[in-house]
Structure formats: C-alpha cells, structure tokens
Amino acid sequence: MTVKHAALAEKFIADEPRTDWHDETLWFVREKRDKAAHGLPEWEQLREWGSQIKNNTLSNLSNYLKEFEEKATANGIKVHWASDAKEHNEIIHKIIKKHGIQKIVKSKSMLTEECHLNEYLQHNGIEVVDTDLGERIVQFRKEPPSHIVLPAIHLKKEDVSATFHEHLQTEKGNNDPQYLTEAARQHLRNKFVESELAITGVNFAIAETGGFVVCTNEGNADMGAHTAPVHIACMGFEKLIPKAEHLSVFLRLLARSATGQPITTYSSHFHKPRPNQEMHIVIVDNGRSKQLGREDFRNSLKCIRCAACFNTCPVYRRSGGHSYHTAVAGPIGSILNPNLDMKANADLPFASTLCGSCTNVCPVKINIHEQLWKWRQVIVTEGYVATSKKLGMKGMSFVFSNPKVYRFMGKMGRGVMHLFPFMVNNKLNIWSKQREMPVAPKESFRDWYLKNGKSQK
Amino acid sequence: MKVALFIPCYIDQFYPKVGIATLQVLEKLGCDVTFPLQQTCCGQPMANSGFASLSKGCDINFVENFTGFDYIVAPSGSCVLHVKEHLQDDKHPQEALHIRNTIYEFTEFLTNILKVESISASFPYKVGMHNSCHGQRGLNLSSMTERMLPEFSKPEQLLNMVKGITLSKPKRNDECCGFGGTFCVFEEAVSVKMGKDRIKEHEDNEVDYITGGDTSCLMHLEGILKRQGSKTKTIHIAEILNGFCELVKSE
C-alpha cells in the first residue's frame, strides 16, 4: 500500500524549523527565477514559442522520432527503443555485459530514476555511481532525489557532513561546504577515471541533426562521457525538438526557470561518437504514448524538467519531495505519475490547493492545475477513492441539491459537521485540530434577508 | 441593472455579515439587487474533490435560481470561478452559458462593471491584503509574480480609495493561504502550515486586519489566528467598503 502524501507531509512538517528552511531555500530559487525572467522583456513570448514548438513536436512525434533515428544512426549513434522501464534497463544491461564492464558513472537523469536503473544494475552486480553532487549525496543515503533539479535540497550541510563522514571518512562534524565539496570532488574524480562506461540523460534531442544536448552545472556529464569508451544516453521520447534553432528558445527558458541562471553552466552537444568510442541512445516510452493519447493530459509531455513548478508550489515547499513517493515529485509529477500507475498515485492530484501558480510559472505553458483537477475526476470515476469520502460527497450533494434540506441542516446547529458530512467520516473533526471553528451566528444571511432585505421571490 | 446576489453556502451559514455588506454596497451603488431564495451551493466542494458528477444537482438548482438577471455577483472569487468554468445544465444550456458569462466576483464587478472611481469611506486601521488564488490567478483580479506582465490589483484599487487605511502586503504577496477547499481537511498538516506562514508575514507588518475577497481563505486564517490567541482579525473587503463608507459611482 502506498503511504499517502498527506501522511508523509505531516511527518516532514513535524520538524517545523526544517520545513521553514526548505520553504525559504526553494523560495529563494523561485525569486532568482523571477529576477532572471524579468530581465527579458520577451519572456512571455519565449514561453509561447516554447509551448508551440512542443505542441508541434507532440503532434508530429512519429515523424520527428523517425527523422531523429535516421540522422542519429547516420552520425554513428546506435539507437535503441524501449517500450517500458524493464526494456530500458535490459538494453543498458546488455550493452554493459557485452563490454564486460563492472564500473560505470552516471550523470543526472530523472528517466533512469523513473526506471529504477540503479537498483536494477546493482542487483546485477554492477557498480553505478551518480556523479551529480546532490545525486551522489542521496545515493549514499539510499534515498531517492527529492527534487528533479536539486536532488538533495531536503538536506542541510550537517546532514551532508554526517553522510560524507560515514561514506568518505571526512572529519566528523566538519560542516564547511568547501571542505565537503572538495571531498566529493576527489572521490568522484577517482570514479570518473576508473569508469569504462558513462550514462547520461538527455535534455533535448534534435530531430534535424540527430544530436542531443545534456545540461549540467557541474560538468559531470562531460567528465563521464569524455573519458569512458562507451556512452549511453537515455531519453523519454518527449525530449525531442524539431530543429537546432529551437534550442535557443529552450536553453534560455530552462536555466532561468530552473535556477535563475541566464544559462546552464554546461550545455553539451553530442552528435557522434569520437574515434574508438561507442555511443548509444535509448528512447523510452514507458507510458508516454498512453499519456499522449489522453487528450486532457498530453500537454504534460511538453515538460522540460526545469522544476519551476516545484519551487513555486506552496505545498511542495512544505511537504518535501519524498512526500510525493515517486521519481518526479511536485505539481508536474502529480500529473505524470497517475498515468504510470493510477492506483498507487491516486493521492497526488489531491496534494494541491489548485492555486494555479505552477501553470503560470511553467516555461512551456503546461496547464498543470487544470490537469490536477481533471485527474481528480478520472481517479474518482475509476474508483480509486476512499469509500468514506465518496459517501460524504454523496451526502453533501444531497444536501446542496435540496434547498429545504440545506436550510434545515444549516439551522440544525450551523455546524460544518452538518453541512460537510465527509468531515465526520474522519472520526475527529480535523478542521479544529489546529484551527478554531467559525462561530455560528444566530441567523443565516437568508434569515436576515427575509427580515431586513427585500424579498422578490 | 438587475443584479442577483449569490451568497455561497458557508457565507450564508457562518458569515451573514459578509452577505449583508455585499448587498448594502451594491444597493448604495444603485443596483437593483435580488437574492434568489432557493440558492444553496455552487457545487465546488464536490467538483474540486473529483466528484463533478455529484454537483449536477447544485448546477440545476443554481441555473433555476439565477436565470433572468443581467449580472450575478458574489463575495467569493473561488465560487465565482467554479461557476464560470464548470456550470452545466443539459436542459438549459443557454441559461447556464449566460450565467457563466455574467457572474462576477464582488471587487471585479465594482471596478469593471460599475467602474467605481471614488469611495468616501474611512477605515483607520493597518490592513494586510490577502490575494486569494482563485480570484487572483483564476479570475485575473490582480497581477501575479509568476508572469512578466504589468502590475495591477482590483481589490487594492478599491481599498486605496478608503480614507485612513494603511495597506500592506505580505512579503510573498501572492502565496496561497492553504485553504484549498477540502484540501484543508485532507491535507491538514500542509494546509495549517501554509496558513501559519501567511499569518506570520502579515503579522510582521503589524496589521490590525487581514482582508481579502474570499471568505473561505479568511475563515481558514481566522481559525488559526484564534487558536493562536492573536489580536489580528480578519475582515472581508465588502465589510471595509461598506462599514464606514459612502460610495460614489462614476458616470
């Protein structure tokens, strides 16, 4: 059974100072994004272009994928197709086995998180080292990333110090970021040198050229790919863009939306293997074609994984990434994950106040909060909702559909409990756990109006 | 101008004073206001919880009550947004469409339709403005920091006409308060934490009142304020505009 978002969030919030710190840190990133976006008078135009290019891509996806495969193959890249996570992992394992490789380095890729590649490879006796600093920290701790851009944002430097003390034998209690970063740098350098195979993600794959772009701030994708004789890049098929010139739109949107930087530190373009290198690209479906077929939700495939919706989301900032119990957390995860497993992720579309900030911050104009609303309807229709909630809602529907019943219930004590019976099904009145109930007035507005206003009906 | 007053269920039951203020302001501005007596709820609690199919009864009742008016006005951005986006009645599609197109949130009606330009009102207190998400982002009542567009605020435009008022904005001006309809119950921990944070930013400005256009947000914040034993109070914007004031309508 899935531990639900609300319960995990409550656990996170129990440490209030940490929650405040998490909230403030992410808000700082959101403000940086605002400044960066305000610096461009054409920001809203860029968003529109980004959105339209993605619309075009999704509408002609099969053609662009075909074009990409042809061009990439002509460039000397080996293209593989995976229908699901299992196939993705098996393809990669096969390449690794063919070369008899034991040690590999990996740069950040949320797709491999989605496919649980690390666990799969480790299970098969292969050492996988995540080389993004944040990813390495959470990997040491055997935790999933809590944020798609800032994987260890839920951890303080004290936590990192303790983790590094345990795994890298750094000095106990030394929380100096420079000291800790240097320790990670030395450790990772060895891993890069030892590694014979590098796995990277893909930020953008270009149909026109058959090449792809990987964006990192640490240069770790390049470190891996430039030393190893084998490079495997993994991408969900929605990472495609039609032409190289479209990169100018997305590279401007991505870094500003993600961290408030004008551009990512390393935007590395890969087009063909260097001499004596093997380059593979694994193109993954894993539910994406199903989402493409869902008219109400296909827009979610426009996502460029900038995480601006995470940073702006008032719920995510208080509940932490792990409360979403999936590889991609936050508002975008809440519309992507029900597609992957509706039952297991039925709680996620409800982990939102529908405030709409995610939709407006999104650089490619995904209507996130509208899709959250729509997922709620689908989840209820499919029956993935608690019986108590269903009964409560039926009760409310009955009350509100009948004016006389509504007024009777209101008069009966003017209690939330009477008007909103679904609350009663929670055994305790949850509202008043940390809040006072509104004071019930003697008369309703309608009662007042009948006495004092003018009645025309 | 025939205006129907829509007083959402929880305002009717718990905050009649907000309904009274809304009615009185509209009447002072010369509107011919009717309160249809058989109204109940807009259906949003069910629809936002995924049970849009269960809000049909509300929709039918709503159309029955609110057909035949030039405008419908309500002191709740959230309920207005729900009606605007989702009201449906298979038997009366034209009537439902007319309602969706002519329903207004209170401050939007005052600024856009009545074009109120001055208010001879006074409210000599420090007031913190709370932007409700559905009003702000849903109905476009004020600009948001996410979008790179010119700044504006219809509720503040009105409050700035009030004499003696000292308006302040919280640090994160357009952050959600955490009410979110049934979210406040099913995600109690996050909801309350969001509310506490909202309150803290207003209290940092030493406000006497927190005001806004959505009674639901104010009910949530009021519940937390009272539990904390705070001196800060909540008040709906209609009460400020009605309480001490004479409104002047521009031609």
Side-chain angles (χ1 to χ4, degrees):
Chain A
M1 201 184 99
T2 325
V3 186
K4 297 293 173 196
H5 180 272
L8 290 166
E10 191 175 1
K11 222 168 122 189
F12 187 77
I13 293 169
D15 186 347
E16 202 166 344
R18 184 180 281 263
T19 307
D20 289 338
W21 176 83
H22 189 260
D23 170 29
E24 283 157 18
T25 308
L26 289 158
W27 186 256
F28 173 73
V29 182
R30 159 68 215 276
E31 281 185 318
K32 266 181 78 189
R33 170 263 173 206
D34 292 353
K35 274 185 207 140
H38 272 289
L40 297 184
E42 69 274 32
W43 181 257
E44 295 297 333
Q45 178 67 63
L46 274 177
R47 286 179 76 218
E48 183 58 25
W49 281 334
S51 170
Q52 294 298 347
I53 295 166
K54 283 286 181 181
N55 276 341
N56 173 289
T57 313
L58 293 175
S59 305
N60 300 287
L61 199 60
S62 57
N63 292 332
Y64 288 130
L65 282 169
K66 218 174 124 207
E67 188 184 350
F68 176 78
E69 183 182 29
E70 279 167 14
K71 298 279 169 62
T73 308
N75 291 347
I77 304 174
K78 290 181 179 156
V79 179
H80 309 260
W81 299 89
S83 61
D84 56 18
K86 189 170 168 274
E87 208 178 338
H88 163 266
N89 294 347
E90 285 167 359
I91 289 168
I92 292 171
H93 188 213
K94 212 172 147 192
I95 300 168
I96 294 169
K97 264 205 310 204
K98 192 185 96 186
H99 291 275
I101 290 165
Q102 291 300 315
K103 291 179 175 182
I104 62 178
V105 286
K106 194 166 134 275
S107 75
K108 206 151 81 58
S109 146
M110 291 316 297
L111 175 70
T112 57
E113 285 292 332
E114 175 189 318
C115 296
H116 301 288
L117 177 70
N118 282 13
E119 292 97 307
Y120 175 86
L121 291 181
Q122 280 155 5
H123 184 73
N124 284 287
I126 295 153
E127 183 192 275
V128 195
V129 174
D130 278 315
T131 57
D132 172 274
L133 179 57
E135 286 253 315
R136 188 63 182 141
I137 296 165
V138 293
Q139 192 184 25
F140 276 139
R141 297 170 66 95
K142 296 188 168 55
E143 286 176 9
S146 73
H147 186 286
I148 56 175
V149 172
L150 311 159
I153 198 67
H154 59 295
L155 299 171
K156 292 185 161 189
K157 57 187 179 191
E158 294 78 15
D159 305 317
V160 176
S161 172
T163 305
F164 280 9
H165 172 67
E166 189 187 339
H167 296 274
L168 299 178
Q169 291 75 48
T170 53
E171 195 185 337
K172 197 176 182 177
N174 189 335
N175 303 334
D176 177 33
Q178 200 171 345
Y179 169 74
L180 296 172
T181 311
E182 186 57 28
R185 182 191 291 266
Q186 295 304 331
H187 159 73
L188 286 172
R189 195 141 300 234
N190 288 333
K191 297 294 176 189
F192 283 126
V193 172
E194 285 169 10
S195 142
E196 298 160 286
L197 187 143
I199 297 175
T200 69
V202 169
N203 288 87
F204 305 100
I206 306 131
E208 180 188 41
T209 65
F212 58 93
V213 176
V214 183
C215 302
T216 70
N217 273 326
E218 297 167 20
N220 56 311
D222 309 66
M223 290 280 281
H226 291 173
T227 47
V230 185
H231 175 186
I232 307 173
C234 310
M235 63 176 263
F237 68 48
E238 81 284 10
K239 294 285 177 180
L240 210 61
I241 57 171
K243 291 176 179 230
E245 68 187 49
H246 297 145
L247 274 173
S248 60
V249 173
F250 293 109
L251 290 178
R252 297 184 83 197
L253 286 169
L254 178 65
R256 285 182 173 86
S257 298
T259 57
Q261 291 167 261
I263 192 139
T264 317
T265 314
Y266 298 88
S267 298
S268 305
H269 299 241
F270 296 93
H271 279 87
K272 54 180 166 188
R274 60 176 189 273
N276 302 318
Q277 191 204 25
E278 237 181 70
M279 190 179 277
H280 299 260
I281 188 152
V282 188
I283 302 173
V284 184
D285 181 335
N286 203 33
R288 284 164 177 76
S289 52
K290 199 166 139 203
Q291 189 85 326
L292 191 65
R294 296 181 195 268
E295 205 187 330
D296 286 339
F297 305 110
R298 68 186 304 224
N299 243 344
S300 61
L301 296 175
K302 283 153 72 177
C303 178
I304 58 170
R305 302 292 192 270
C306 70
C309 63
F310 286 54
N311 304 339
T312 205
C313 178
V315 175
Y316 173 87
R317 277 187 269 116
R318 269 82 171 191
S319 69
H322 291 156
S323 65
Y324 294 80
H325 56 78
T326 48
V328 180
I332 185 71
S334 298
I335 57 174
L336 290 172
N337 291 305
N339 175 60
L340 286 174
D341 187 339
M342 208 187 294
K343 192 180 172 194
N345 301 315
D347 57 324
L348 296 182
F350 296 90
S352 164
T353 61
L354 304 180
C355 78
S357 184
C358 46
T359 298
N360 290 288
V361 87
C362 178
V364 288
K365 293 193 172 182
I366 302 171
N367 55 337
I368 302 176
H369 78 290
E370 286 172 16
Q371 291 192 37
L372 288 167
W373 191 90
K374 282 182 172 159
W375 265 123
R376 293 181 184 188
Q377 312 306 323
V378 175
I379 283 159
V380 165
T381 308
E382 299 284 324
Y384 299 122
V385 70
T387 313
S388 59
K389 195 170 179 178
K390 201 165 153 184
L391 289 173
M393 287 293 159
K394 279 193 171 161
M396 277 172 74
S397 169
F398 174 71
V399 171
F400 289 138
S401 301
N402 297 282
K404 278 184 188 162
V405 178
Y406 158 75
R407 292 199 292 270
F408 174 74
M409 298 299 277
K411 216 169 245 174
M412 278 274 294
R414 248 175 262 298
V416 167
M417 312 278 273
H418 290 99
L419 279 178
F420 302 100
F422 67 96
M423 289 186 184
V424 183
N425 295 317
N426 289 296
K427 288 180 188 153
L428 298 162
N429 182 356
I430 293 175
W431 173 276
S432 51
K433 204 170 147 191
Q434 300 184 74
R435 285 167 291 216
E436 292 299 316
M437 294 284 283
V439 178
K442 273 187 206 137
E443 53 184 15
S444 67
F445 172 78
R446 186 178 183 274
D447 294 339
W448 175 90
Y449 182 83
L450 288 175
K451 275 193 240 160
N452 306 288
K454 52 185 175 106
S455 170
Q456 301 198 349
K457 272 203 172 178
Chain B
M1 188 186 288
K2 278 181 75 180
V3 176
L5 185 62
F6 166 40
I7 299 300
C9 54
Y10 69 99
I11 299 180
D12 177 42
Q13 295 296 326
F14 295 111
Y15 297 94
K17 56 185 184 162
V18 175
I20 295 165
T22 308
L23 172 70
Q24 291 180 344
V25 170
L26 291 173
E27 284 182 339
K28 281 178 200 172
L29 288 166
C31 298
D32 174 13
V33 188
T34 303
F35 175 76
L37 289 169
Q38 304 304 319
Q39 58 179 283
T40 59
C41 164
C42 64
Q44 181 174 217
M46 284 83 83
N48 279 14
S49 302
F51 293 83
S53 57
L54 289 177
S55 66
K56 273 186 192 152
C58 281
D59 281 12
I60 291 166
N61 187 54
F62 201 93
V63 172
E64 208 171 288
N65 273 274
F66 289 97
T67 294
F69 297 96
D70 300 321
Y71 296 103
I72 299 142
V73 179
S76 164
S78 189
C79 306
V80 167
L81 181 68
H82 173 76
V83 171
K84 221 173 222 327
E85 289 188 331
H86 301 295
L87 185 79
Q88 269 182 333
D89 184 345
D90 294 342
K91 284 188 184 151
H92 306 96
Q94 284 310 313
E95 286 83 350
L97 186 68
H98 178 73
I99 290 170
R100 288 170 67 158
N101 289 333
T102 52
I103 188 163
Y104 281 83
E105 185 272 341
F106 175 68
T107 62
E108 187 184 21
F109 187 71
L110 259 56
T111 50
N112 282 31
I113 304 300
L114 298 181
K115 302 190 191 303
V116 170
E117 282 183 349
S118 65
I119 297 168
S120 57
S122 105
F123 195 72
Y125 298 99
K126 285 185 183 167
V127 177
M129 177 67 209
H130 171 66
N131 287 313
S132 77
C133 306
H134 286 178
Q136 179 180 36
R137 300 194 185 87
L139 296 171
N140 206 27
L141 298 183
S142 56
S143 54
M144 63 190 98
T145 49
E146 294 90 328
R147 303 278 298 274
M148 307 302 134
L149 300 169
E151 266 185 58
F152 70 95
S153 167
K154 290 172 190 180
E156 279 173 41
Q157 191 185 321
L158 291 168
L159 288 171
N160 281 329
M161 297 175 196
V162 176
K163 243 181 266 163
I165 198 166
T166 311
L167 263 189
S168 72
K169 291 179 191 181
K171 214 168 116 208
R172 299 188 267 193
N173 190 33
D174 47 14
E175 176 99 329
C176 175
C177 70
F179 174 69
T182 54
F183 178 88
C184 72
V185 174
F186 294 113
E187 287 267 2
E188 189 263 350
V190 185
S191 170
V192 171
K193 179 64 183 144
M194 286 167 69
K196 280 163 76 178
D197 291 351
R198 205 80 290 258
I199 284 166
K200 169 134 195 337
E201 287 185 18
H202 280 292
E203 289 191 332
D204 285 347
N205 290 336
E206 299 178 328
V207 300
D208 302 307
Y209 289 92
I210 299 171
T211 194
D214 266 88
T215 313
S216 51
C217 307
L218 298 175
M219 173 171 79
H220 166 64
L221 295 174
E222 179 192 63
I224 300 171
L225 282 166
K226 281 189 179 167
R227 179 62 59 92
Q228 291 178 341
S230 171
K231 281 182 194 161
T232 310
K233 294 182 279 288
T234 55
I235 188 167
H236 191 274
I237 189 167
E239 295 176 89
I240 296 182
L241 299 182
N242 186 49
F244 297 75
C245 69
E246 289 277 318
L247 289 129
V248 180
K249 190 184 157 192
S250 69
E251 290 309 316

